[in-house]
């Protein structure tokens, strides 16, 4: 069976960035595999439009594996299409996490419109995710587990040891290629996707 992958970049990310380049190398080790990506300009400003675009690409390219990093991981997890999903350091609750970020160019806090926050919140129940695998960097600076940002219950509901559908690896939010490799190939094994 052919593996068609769609990579979804993160907030302020680049569809051709480091994670994509690593996935490009990894996908060359999968028989009959094609890797697709797209620059999602409205990732944090228009949630419904981003969802529609992801679904449109999935239909057009016959995508059967979504791979998303950070905010792209969130979109992969909540995608309304029945495909396998790999979330790399996903932004679990964007309505909370994105406003904590600073604009790289200005240093100012990121502001989301109330409608965008509302659209994110509708999806943060994770009622529509399907078969998913998570890759988490142990030193991910955006994945908080304090009293104000405790994602443990949500994490445990989606990723728990009984399903063995996640891996914790050494690494920060932006994983290096060798770190990502330690999670990506176990994810393929989890889904029964053959590779070298």
């Amino acid at each position: 069976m052919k593996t068609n992958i769609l990579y979804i970049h993160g907030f302020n990310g680049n569809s051709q960035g480091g994670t994509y380049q690593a996935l490009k190398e990894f996908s060359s080790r999968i028989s009959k595999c094609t890797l697709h990506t797209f620059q999602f300009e409205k990732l944090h400003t228009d949630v419904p439009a981003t969802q529609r675009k992801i679904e449109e690409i999935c239909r057009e390219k016959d995508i059967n594996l979504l791979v998303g990093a950070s905010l792209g991981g969130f979109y992969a997890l909540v995608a309304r299409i029945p495909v396998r999903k790999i979330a790399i350091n996903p932004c679990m609750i964007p309505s909370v996490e994105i406003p904590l970020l600073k604009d790289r160019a200005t240093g100012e806090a990121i502001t989301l419109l109330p409608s965008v926050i509302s659209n994110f919140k509708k999806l943060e129940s994770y009622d529509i995710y399907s078969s998913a695998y998570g890759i988490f960097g142990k030193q991910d600076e955006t994945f908080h587990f304090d009293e104000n940002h405790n994602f443990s219950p949500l994490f445990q509901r989606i990723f728990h040891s009984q399903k063995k559908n996640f891996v914790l690896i050494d690494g920060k939010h932006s994983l290096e290629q060798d770190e990502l490799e330690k999670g990506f190939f176990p994810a393929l094994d989890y889904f029964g996707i053959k590779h070298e």
Side-chain angles (χ1 to χ4, degrees), residues 39-66:
Q39 189 67 37
F40 293 95
E41 301 293 345
K42 299 180 179 182
L43 203 66
H44 75 287
T45 60
D46 193 334
V47 178
T50 301
Q51 283 189 291
R52 285 191 301 274
K53 187 64 182 176
I54 290 167
E55 292 168 5
E56 175 188 311
I57 294 169
C58 286
R59 283 190 301 274
E60 287 175 2
K61 305 293 185 185
D62 195 26
I63 300 298
N64 50 25
L65 177 62
L66 282 177

Side-chain angles (χ1 to χ4, degrees), residues 13-178:
N14 181 339
S15 63
Q16 303 287 317
T19 301
Y20 172 79
Q21 296 304 321
L23 293 173
K24 191 173 173 182
E25 193 278 316
F26 301 158
S27 65
S28 70
R29 295 157 57 185
I30 303 170
S31 176
K32 298 179 185 173
C33 180
T34 304
L35 175 64
H36 303 273
T37 191
F38 181 84
Q39 189 67 37
F40 293 95
E41 301 293 345
K42 299 180 179 182
L43 203 66
H44 75 287
T45 60
D46 193 334
V47 178
T50 301
Q51 283 189 291
R52 285 191 301 274
K53 187 64 182 176
I54 290 167
E55 292 168 5
E56 175 188 311
I57 294 169
C58 286
R59 283 190 301 274
E60 287 175 2
K61 305 293 185 185
D62 195 26
I63 300 298
N64 50 25
L65 177 62
L66 282 177
V67 179
S70 192
L71 187 55
F74 169 79
Y75 278 103
L77 290 174
V78 301
R80 301 172 290 199
I81 49 178
V83 298
R84 299 164 292 186
K85 302 163 183 180
I86 298 174
I88 304 164
N89 281 331
C91 177
M92 301 294 287
I93 306 179
S95 67
V96 173
E97 285 297 288
I98 293 174
L100 296 175
L101 300 175
K102 304 265 189 237
D103 184 285
R104 290 179 188 161
T106 67
E108 298 291 319
I110 301 297
T111 303
L112 295 180
L113 294 173
S115 61
V116 174
I117 290 175
S118 175
N119 283 326
F120 276 133
K121 284 184 176 180
K122 289 175 189 171
L123 299 176
E124 289 166 358
S125 65
Y126 288 91
D127 291 333
I128 54 177
Y129 74 90
S130 64
S131 184
Y133 190 94
I135 301 170
F136 295 90
K138 292 177 188 175
Q139 295 82 31
D140 181 353
E141 60 276 15
T142 66
F143 198 65
H144 305 285
F145 289 99
D146 61 29
E147 67 242 13
N148 297 318
H149 305 96
N150 185 357
F151 302 150
S152 294
L154 176 59
F155 175 85
Q156 290 168 0
R157 200 171 88 211
I158 300 171
F159 305 102
H160 54 83
S161 60
Q162 292 157 341
K163 292 196 303 191
K164 295 183 174 37
N165 67 332
F166 74 94
V167 63
L168 295 171
I169 56 177
D170 284 324
K172 296 185 177 186
H173 190 67
S174 293
L175 297 173
E176 299 295 327
Q177 181 168 335
D178 61 326

